[in-house]
Amino acid sequence: MEIFLEAKSTFYKALEEIINKAYEKRTISKKEIYEILTKYNCNFPVLEDRVFAKNTQYQKNIYVLKQQDDKSYGLRIDSKIEPYVTNTEVMWLKFMMSSRYAELFLDIETIEKIRKLKSSNIPSINTNLIVPKNYSKILKRENAKDISAKMKMVIKGIIENKILRYTYKTRQGDTLKDVTGIPVKIQYSLKDDMFYVIFYSLERGNFAKCIIQNLENLRYDEGSYNRDDVLKEYDNYLKNSKAKQPIVLEVINTRNALERAFCMFSSFEKSARFLKEKNRHEMRIYYYEFEEAEIISRILYLGRNVVVVNPQHIRDRIISRVKNALEMYSKSEIV
């Protein structure tokens, strides 16, 4: 059936979870089914009808569930679905191995397992169509192996709230020696093909964004700080820096806008749901106030396929940026 094509495997994943949950509990409620469909953005009427066997065209229904009462369902077969790797997943795993960053996040044993996966009759992905080419002209792209140790130290620092001491060279060429901070998160820039680290600066009591390849002499260091006091101060600052309300976007899924939106905001905490009445997806982005300029820049990149619903001050800043751009182009007589 069409819905089981690997290219549409999102719905398959939703159905797999529904079946396995029903098998484990011997029953599943209608509410739980809706929640799973929503989780995978499959809460479309046509898909819901197929799951609940309500489609008027018999052949389009999926008869895996049988109704037990008004609120619960059971399985028609006494079996669960075992996980497996699809051809599409093999294709993407193989493609991942072409990335210079594979060794940063996967150990050698995992990489070897992926390379040994059978890939007969599976087309390869043309990297020239996907890999970004507009790399930064200011910074030289560092070999992934050279930043591997730094990345692992930063990740451990984030997980364990460790204090790091480092030397940093800014874009302007200034060198900051023996700076101390607690790493908060790692961000990846698709535009520059680079990793950034956001630190909580112990000297300044605010956040600083650093290019990971420009970090030198990186080491764990408690220094003369009282760790308990530092972590308390850090937690308070982080809590107070959290935006009071999320940015709410409505994404019109044309020209792959939804996929681009998830890609652009992959480093942010977010939630999404499908708005049936508008035939749009709603995305809520939770962020820190110091990230506001970065988020606005990414929203503008998505163009007219995204509408900012809330908060009002973000809408105002977007409108102001667009008006300034139009005015600038008008003065330049660019059509």
Side-chain angles (χ1 to χ4, degrees), residues 112-155:
E112 287 302 316
K113 286 182 179 179
I114 292 174
R115 285 175 177 163
K116 290 178 180 178
L117 287 172
K118 294 181 180 179
S119 56
S120 58
N121 301 322
I122 300 176
S124 60
I125 300 175
N126 184 354
T127 58
N128 292 323
L129 299 176
I130 300 175
V131 177
K133 299 296 183 183
N134 55 334
Y135 301 127
S136 172
K137 296 179 181 179
I138 301 174
L139 295 167
K140 181 180 178 182
R141 295 169 70 220
E142 194 170 12
N143 190 301
K145 291 183 179 179
D146 295 333
I147 64 174
S148 177
K150 299 176 187 178
M151 183 70 77
K152 289 176 181 177
M153 287 190 72
V154 170
I155 291 173

Side-chain angles (χ1 to χ4, degrees), residues 9-134:
S9 59
T10 301
F11 180 66
Y12 175 85
K13 290 293 184 183
L15 196 58
E16 178 185 26
E17 186 169 329
I18 290 171
I19 292 172
N20 288 344
K21 191 166 188 176
Y23 177 82
E24 180 185 349
K25 298 174 58 181
R26 313 312 299 176
T27 185
I28 186 169
S29 68
K30 184 181 290 187
K31 180 182 178 183
E32 289 173 319
I33 295 171
Y34 279 123
E35 288 175 348
I36 293 172
L37 290 173
T38 303
K39 172 184 173 182
Y40 289 95
N41 289 319
C42 295
N43 53 331
F44 301 95
V46 62
L47 295 182
E48 290 177 5
D49 286 346
R50 293 185 181 191
V51 172
F52 294 110
K54 293 181 179 179
N55 200 295
T56 54
Q57 298 183 45
Y58 178 90
Q59 68 274 19
K60 290 188 176 182
N61 290 314
I62 304 172
Y63 290 96
V64 296
L65 299 174
K66 57 182 178 181
Q67 192 164 1
Q68 296 179 338
D69 52 48
D70 292 339
K71 295 183 179 180
S72 63
Y73 289 78
L75 286 178
R76 290 182 179 275
I77 55 173
D78 188 22
S79 176
K80 63 179 180 179
I81 297 179
E82 298 292 344
Y84 75 100
V85 183
T86 66
N87 287 345
T88 303
E89 289 168 335
V90 171
M91 183 172 65
W92 277 101
L93 286 170
K94 293 281 187 181
F95 172 69
M96 285 169 54
M97 294 304 98
S98 67
S99 170
R100 68 193 191 99
Y101 294 129
E103 294 182 5
L104 290 181
F105 303 100
L106 301 174
D107 56 41
I108 300 300
E109 183 180 345
T110 302
I111 291 174
E112 287 302 316
K113 286 182 179 179
I114 292 174
R115 285 175 177 163
K116 290 178 180 178
L117 287 172
K118 294 181 180 179
S119 56
S120 58
N121 301 322
I122 300 176
S124 60
I125 300 175
N126 184 354
T127 58
N128 292 323
L129 299 176
I130 300 175
V131 177
K133 299 296 183 183
N134 55 334

